[in-house]
Coordinates of all heavy atoms in Angstrom, one line a residue:
H1238 N 6.4 13.5 -22.1 CA 4.9 13.5 -22.3 C 4.4 14.6 -21.3 O 3.3 15.1 -21.7 CB 4.3 12.1 -21.7 CG 4.7 11.0 -22.7 ND1 4.4 9.7 -22.2 CD2 5.5 11.0 -23.8 CE1 4.9 8.9 -23.3 NE2 5.5 9.6 -24.1
A1239 N 5.2 15.0 -20.4 CA 4.6 16.2 -19.5 C 5.8 17.3 -19.6 O 6.4 17.7 -18.6 CB 4.4 15.8 -18.0
D1240 N 6.1 17.7 -20.8 CA 7.2 18.7 -21.0 C 6.9 20.0 -20.4 O 5.8 20.6 -20.7 CB 7.4 18.8 -22.6 CG 8.7 18.9 -22.8 OD1 9.6 19.2 -22.0 OD2 9.2 19.0 -24.1
A1241 N 7.8 20.3 -19.3 CA 7.6 21.7 -18.8 C 8.6 22.7 -19.4 O 9.5 22.5 -19.7 CB 8.1 21.7 -17.3
P1242 N 8.0 24.0 -19.9 CA 8.7 25.0 -20.6 C 10.1 25.2 -20.0 O 11.2 25.5 -20.7 CB 7.8 26.1 -20.7 CG 6.5 25.5 -20.5 CD 6.6 24.4 -19.5
D1243 N 10.0 25.4 -18.7 CA 11.4 26.0 -17.9 C 12.2 24.8 -17.4 O 13.1 25.0 -16.6 CB 11.1 26.9 -16.9 CG 10.4 28.2 -17.6 OD1 10.8 28.5 -18.6 OD2 9.6 28.8 -16.9
R1244 N 11.9 23.7 -17.7 CA 12.6 22.4 -17.2 C 14.1 22.5 -17.5 O 14.4 22.9 -18.6 CB 12.0 21.1 -17.7 CG 12.5 19.9 -17.0 CD 11.5 18.8 -17.4 NE 11.9 17.7 -16.6 CZ 12.3 16.4 -17.1 NH1 12.2 16.4 -18.5 NH2 12.7 15.4 -16.4
G1245 N 14.9 22.2 -16.6 CA 16.4 22.0 -16.9 C 17.1 23.4 -16.6 O 18.2 23.5 -16.9
R1246 N 16.3 24.4 -16.0 CA 17.1 25.7 -15.9 C 17.0 26.1 -14.4 O 17.7 27.0 -13.9 CB 16.3 26.8 -16.7 CG 16.6 26.7 -18.1 CD 15.7 27.5 -19.0 NE 16.1 27.5 -20.5 CZ 15.7 26.6 -21.3 NH1 14.9 25.5 -20.8 NH2 16.0 26.5 -22.5
A1247 N 16.3 25.5 -13.5 CA 16.2 25.8 -12.2 C 17.2 25.3 -11.4 O 17.7 24.2 -11.7 CB 14.8 25.4 -11.6
A1248 N 17.5 25.9 -10.3 CA 18.7 25.3 -9.4 C 18.1 24.1 -8.7 O 16.9 23.9 -8.5 CB 19.1 26.3 -8.3
A1249 N 19.0 23.2 -8.3 CA 18.6 22.0 -7.6 C 18.0 22.4 -6.2 O 18.5 23.2 -5.5 CB 19.7 21.1 -7.5
P1250 N 16.8 21.6 -5.8 CA 16.2 21.9 -4.6 C 16.9 21.2 -3.4 O 17.7 20.3 -3.7 CB 14.8 21.2 -4.9 CG 15.1 20.2 -5.7 CD 16.2 20.6 -6.7
G1251 N 16.6 21.6 -2.3 CA 17.2 21.1 -1.0 C 18.7 20.9 -1.0 O 19.4 21.9 -1.3
G1252 N 19.2 19.8 -0.5 CA 20.6 19.6 -0.6 C 21.1 18.9 -1.7 O 22.3 18.6 -1.8
E1253 N 20.4 18.7 -2.7 CA 20.9 17.9 -3.9 C 21.8 18.7 -4.7 O 21.5 20.0 -5.0 CB 19.6 17.6 -4.8 CG 20.0 16.8 -6.0 CD 18.7 16.4 -6.9 OE1 17.8 17.2 -6.9 OE2 18.8 15.4 -7.6
L1254 N 22.8 18.2 -5.1 CA 23.8 18.9 -5.9 C 23.3 19.2 -7.3 O 22.6 18.3 -7.9 CB 25.1 18.2 -6.1 CG 26.0 18.0 -4.7 CD1 27.2 17.2 -5.0 CD2 26.4 19.4 -4.3
V1255 N 23.6 20.3 -7.9 CA 23.0 20.6 -9.2 C 23.5 19.5 -10.2 O 22.8 19.3 -11.1 CB 23.4 22.0 -9.6 CG1 24.9 22.2 -9.8 CG2 22.7 22.4 -10.8
A1256 N 24.8 19.0 -10.1 CA 25.2 18.1 -11.0 C 24.4 16.8 -11.0 O 24.3 16.2 -12.0 CB 26.8 17.8 -10.7
D1257 N 24.0 16.4 -9.8 CA 23.2 15.2 -9.7 C 21.9 15.4 -10.5 O 21.5 14.4 -11.1 CB 23.0 14.9 -8.2 CG 24.3 14.5 -7.5 OD1 25.1 14.0 -8.0 OD2 24.3 14.7 -6.3
R1258 N 21.3 16.3 -10.3 CA 20.1 16.7 -11.0 C 20.2 16.7 -12.5 O 19.5 16.1 -13.3 CB 19.3 17.9 -10.5 CG 17.9 18.0 -11.1 CD 17.2 19.3 -10.6 NE 16.0 19.5 -11.2 CZ 15.4 20.7 -11.1 NH1 16.0 21.7 -10.6 NH2 14.3 20.8 -11.7
A1259 N 21.3 17.4 -12.9 CA 21.5 17.5 -14.4 C 22.0 16.2 -15.0 O 21.5 15.9 -16.1 CB 22.8 18.5 -14.5
R1260 N 22.6 15.3 -14.3 CA 23.0 14.1 -14.8 C 21.8 13.1 -15.1 O 21.9 12.3 -16.0 CB 23.9 13.4 -13.7 CG 24.6 12.1 -14.3 CD 25.6 11.6 -13.2 NE 26.8 12.4 -13.0 CZ 26.9 13.3 -12.0 NH1 26.0 13.2 -10.9 NH2 28.0 14.0 -11.9
R1261 N 20.8 13.2 -14.3 CA 19.6 12.5 -14.5 C 18.6 12.9 -15.6 O 17.7 12.2 -16.0 CB 18.8 12.4 -13.3 CG 19.5 11.7 -12.1 CD 18.4 11.3 -11.0 NE 17.6 12.4 -10.6 CZ 18.0 13.3 -9.6 NH1 19.0 13.1 -8.9 NH2 17.2 14.3 -9.3
Q1262 N 18.8 14.3 -16.0 CA 17.8 14.9 -16.8 C 18.3 15.0 -18.3 O 19.3 15.8 -18.5 CB 17.5 16.2 -16.3 CG 16.1 16.9 -16.8 CD 15.6 18.0 -15.9 OE1 15.4 17.8 -14.8 NE2 15.6 19.2 -16.6
R1263 N 17.6 14.4 -19.3 CA 18.0 14.5 -20.6 C 18.2 15.9 -21.1 O 19.1 16.3 -22.0 CB 17.2 13.6 -21.6 CG 17.4 13.7 -23.0 CD 16.3 13.2 -23.9 NE 15.2 13.9 -23.6 CZ 14.8 15.0 -24.3 NH1 15.7 15.7 -25.0 NH2 13.6 15.7 -24.0
D1264 N 17.2 16.8 -20.9 CA 17.1 18.1 -21.5 C 17.7 19.3 -20.5 O 17.3 20.3 -20.7 CB 15.6 18.4 -21.9 CG 14.7 18.3 -20.7 OD1 15.1 18.0 -19.6 OD2 13.6 18.7 -20.9
W1265 N 18.5 18.8 -19.7 CA 19.2 19.9 -18.8 C 20.0 20.8 -19.7 O 20.7 20.4 -20.7 CB 20.1 19.2 -17.9 CG 20.6 20.2 -16.8 CD1 21.8 20.9 -17.0 CD2 20.1 20.5 -15.6 NE1 22.0 21.6 -15.9 CE2 20.9 21.4 -15.0 CE3 18.8 20.2 -14.9 CZ2 20.6 22.2 -13.7 CZ3 18.6 20.8 -13.8 CH2 19.5 21.7 -13.2
V1266 N 19.8 22.2 -19.4 CA 20.6 23.2 -20.2 C 21.8 23.6 -19.3 O 21.7 24.2 -18.2 CB 19.7 24.3 -20.4 CG1 20.5 25.5 -21.2 CG2 18.6 24.0 -21.3
Y1267 N 22.9 23.2 -19.9 CA 24.2 23.5 -19.1 C 24.7 24.9 -19.4 O 24.5 25.6 -20.3 CB 25.3 22.5 -19.5 CG 25.1 21.1 -19.1 CD1 24.3 20.3 -19.9 CD2 25.6 20.7 -17.8 CE1 24.0 19.0 -19.4 CE2 25.4 19.5 -17.4 CZ 24.6 18.5 -18.2 OH 24.4 17.3 -17.7
G1268 N 25.4 25.5 -18.3 CA 26.2 26.8 -18.6 C 27.2 26.8 -19.5 O 27.5 27.8 -20.2
H1269 N 28.0 25.7 -19.6 CA 29.1 25.6 -20.5 C 29.3 24.1 -20.8 O 29.0 23.3 -19.9 CB 30.3 26.2 -19.9 CG 31.5 26.5 -20.8 ND1 31.5 27.6 -21.7 CD2 32.5 25.9 -21.0 CE1 32.6 27.5 -22.4 NE2 33.4 26.4 -22.0
V1270 N 29.8 23.9 -22.0 CA 30.3 22.4 -22.2 C 31.8 22.5 -22.7 O 32.2 23.2 -23.5 CB 29.5 21.8 -23.4 CG1 29.9 20.4 -23.7 CG2 28.0 21.8 -23.1
V1271 N 32.5 21.5 -22.0 CA 33.9 21.5 -22.4 C 34.1 19.9 -23.0 O 33.6 19.0 -22.5 CB 34.8 21.5 -21.2 CG1 36.2 21.2 -21.5 CG2 34.8 22.9 -20.7
I1272 N 34.7 19.9 -24.2 CA 34.7 18.6 -24.9 C 36.4 18.3 -25.2 O 37.0 19.1 -25.6 CB 34.1 18.7 -26.3 CG1 32.8 19.2 -26.2 CG2 34.1 17.3 -26.9 CD1 32.1 19.7 -27.5
D1273 N 36.8 17.1 -24.7 CA 38.1 16.8 -24.9 C 38.2 15.8 -25.9 O 37.1 15.0 -26.1 CB 38.7 16.1 -23.5 CG 40.3 16.3 -23.5 OD1 40.9 16.2 -24.5 OD2 40.8 16.3 -22.6
E1274 N 39.2 15.7 -26.8 CA 39.3 14.9 -27.9 C 38.2 15.1 -28.9 O 37.5 14.2 -29.4 CB 39.4 13.4 -27.6 CG 40.5 13.0 -26.6 CD 41.9 13.3 -27.3 OE1 41.9 13.4 -28.5 OE2 42.9 13.1 -26.6
A1275 N 37.9 16.5 -29.2 CA 36.7 16.9 -29.8 C 36.7 16.5 -31.3 O 35.6 16.5 -32.0 CB 36.5 18.4 -29.7
Q1276 N 37.9 16.2 -31.7 CA 38.0 15.8 -33.2 C 37.3 14.5 -33.5 O 37.1 14.2 -34.7 CB 39.5 15.7 -33.7 CG 40.2 14.5 -33.2 CD 40.8 14.7 -31.7 OE1 40.5 15.6 -31.1 NE2 41.4 13.5 -31.1
E1277 N 37.0 13.7 -32.4 CA 36.3 12.5 -32.7 C 34.8 12.6 -32.9 O 34.2 11.7 -33.3 CB 36.6 11.5 -31.5 CG 38.1 11.4 -31.2 CD 38.8 10.8 -32.5 OE1 38.2 10.0 -33.4 OE2 40.0 10.9 -32.5
L1278 N 34.2 13.8 -32.5 CA 32.8 13.9 -32.5 C 32.2 13.9 -34.0 O 32.8 14.6 -35.0 CB 32.4 15.2 -31.8 CG 32.0 15.0 -30.3 CD1 33.0 14.5 -29.5 CD2 31.3 16.3 -29.9
S1279 N 31.2 13.2 -34.2 CA 30.5 13.2 -35.6 C 29.7 14.4 -35.5 O 29.4 15.2 -34.6 CB 29.6 12.0 -35.6 OG 28.5 12.0 -34.9
E1280 N 29.1 14.8 -36.7 CA 28.2 15.9 -36.8 C 27.0 15.8 -36.0 O 26.5 16.7 -35.4 CB 27.8 16.1 -38.4 CG 29.0 16.6 -39.1 CD 28.6 16.7 -40.6 OE1 27.8 15.8 -41.0 OE2 29.3 17.5 -41.3

Side-chain angles (χ1 to χ4, degrees):
H1238 293 181
D1240 219 350
D1243 295 326
R1244 193 165 179 236
R1246 290 170 173 82
E1253 184 182 25
L1254 291 175
V1255 66
D1257 294 332
R1258 188 178 177 200
R1260 191 176 289 107
R1261 295 196 308 269
Q1262 193 166 305
R1263 176 194 61 78
D1264 57 353
W1265 187 270
V1266 176
Y1267 290 90
H1269 193 80
V1270 178
V1271 170
I1272 310 166
D1273 205 336
E1274 303 294 346
Q1276 75 278 356
E1277 304 300 335
L1278 267 62
S1279 70
E1280 291 173 330

